[in-house]
Amino acid sequence: MNSRFSRFIAMAVILVPGVLPGAHAVEYTDVNATASTISFTYNQMGSRVYGTFGKFEGELDFDTRHPEAARAKLTIELDSIDAGSEDASTELQKPAWFDTASYPVATFESTRFKDLGNNRYRITGNLTLRGLTREVTVPVLLKAENAIGIFDGELVLKRSDFKIGDGEWADTMVSDGINIRFRMVAPQR
C-alpha cells in the first residue's frame, strides 16, 4: 500500500514539470486538475495493485523559451486515495502508512528544470511526505494538443524513504518501490 503513496508522489513530481516546446514559444501557467491524473502501482504479495489520488492542485509557470526559469508546485490531498477497495483506501490513511490525520497533504516543489531536447525535461524538486522531505528527479514529456500542454511523467519512489508502511509492512509483503505516473494538463496562456 505504501507503493500507492509513492506512486502518487511520483505522479505529483511528474505533473509539476510538464513542458512542451513547439515551433514557437508557449507559456503554461495553470494546471487543470479535473483533466489531470495521478496514479500509482506496486506489488503486494505477488499481485500488482493500481490506485489513484483524486484531489490535488498544481501550480505551473513554464515558458518554452526559458524552461530553466520554470517553477512548479503540486499539493496532493492524501485522503483522496483510491487503492481499489474501500478497505485498502482506509488502511492507507492510518498512521503506519500516510497518517493523513497528522500529514493530510504531500507536496512537490521544483528547484530546477533542465531541457533535454525533443520536448523532454528533467525536473528536480523537493517532495514532502509524512513530514519528511527528499529531493527527487522526474523525467517529463510535454505534448501539445489543441492549445493544451500535456505533461506526462513517471518515477519510482521508495516508500522506505518516507517511512510509509512501517512495522509489519516494512518487509517485502508490499514492494518498497512504488511506480508513480502523472498526466498534468495545462492550457496555453
Side-chain angles (χ1 to χ4, degrees), residues 25-39:
V26 178
E27 293 181 48
Y28 300 98
T29 57
D30 297 311
V31 173
N32 180 337
T34 303
S36 301
T37 60
I38 299 174
S39 65

Side-chain angles (χ1 to χ4, degrees), residues 160-177:
S160 58
D161 287 347
F162 296 92
K163 297 184 180 181
I164 298 170
D166 276 348
E168 68 179 292
W169 300 103
D171 64 11
T172 59
M173 183 178 287
V174 175
S175 60
D176 191 30

Side-chain angles (χ1 to χ4, degrees), residues 40-51:
F40 56 90
T41 56
Y42 62 92
N43 291 320
Q44 181 175 355
M45 298 175 16
S47 297
R48 195 81 170 145
V49 180
Y50 173 84

